[in-house]
Amino acid sequence: MALTLSAEQYRLLADAVLVLHASIVAFVVFSLPLILAGSHWHWRWVRNFWFRISHLAAIAYVAAQTWFGIDCPLTTLEVTMRLRSGAVPYEGDFVSHWLSRILFYTAPPWVFLALYTGFALLVLYTWIRIPPQGPMRGTRVT
């Protein structure tokens, strides 16, 4: 027996995916300045291994999927839910859509490829320049 959802339920699910997606983007974007500030002001938590590996893995995943032309699964899921709700989904990827909505600016896909790659390299640089503490308390990852 298949589960049948209403259009409103699909819309709510799509909105939940949107909130999750926006939260992940915020984590990736805002963690970097926090790491840099934390290094300057000696905040110990910015060297937490699990925080740092999660940050590096998240942006590495975004950059890799962009390089390989893979659609973000969260964007795909949200679009699917919006279609099932009867709404018209947006075209393109999540970041380009919302940046164009917020900033009234559109850019070709290669711009986002360059931005994601550059940001990933910057995060990797901070990993080297401001190394996290190892998963065992007090050890450094080098």
Side-chain angles (χ1 to χ4, degrees):
M1 185 167 123
L3 179 65
T4 305
L5 300 176
S6 70
E8 180 64 16
Q9 289 169 321
Y10 277 119
R11 188 191 62 74
L12 288 172
L13 286 172
D15 290 346
V17 173
L18 173 66
V19 168
L20 173 65
H21 205 171
S23 299
I24 292 169
V25 170
F27 168 73
V28 169
V29 171
F30 295 119
S31 290
L32 184 59
L34 286 172
I35 291 165
L36 295 172
S39 173
H40 177 75
W41 286 307
H42 307 289
W43 299 337
R44 292 179 59 184
W45 66 268
V46 300
R47 291 186 184 264
N48 178 281
F49 177 80
W50 299 111
F51 166 64
R52 296 291 296 281
I53 197 72
S54 298
H55 185 237
L56 181 61
I59 189 58
Y61 177 79
V62 169
Q65 76 181 24
T66 304
W67 271 99
F68 293 112
I70 300 169
D71 291 335
C72 176
L74 291 174
T75 300
T76 303
L77 181 59
E78 182 192 351
V79 167
T80 300
M81 296 296 122
R82 296 223 183 272
L83 283 170
R84 291 184 179 174
S85 76
V88 177
Y90 52 82
E91 292 185 26
D93 70 20
F94 177 83
V95 174
S96 65
H97 171 75
W98 287 104
L99 274 180
S100 68
R101 296 278 305 256
I102 294 168
L103 303 176
F104 308 104
Y105 178 76
T106 57
W110 69 265
V111 171
F112 293 98
L113 176 67
L115 287 172
Y116 298 156
T117 302
F119 197 86
L121 291 172
L122 188 56
V123 170
L124 182 60
Y125 172 77
T126 62
W127 180 277
I128 295 165
R129 186 78 175 108
I130 307 165
Q133 298 293 323
M136 302 303 289
R137 188 177 175 110
T139 61
R140 283 200 182 247
V141 177
T142 53

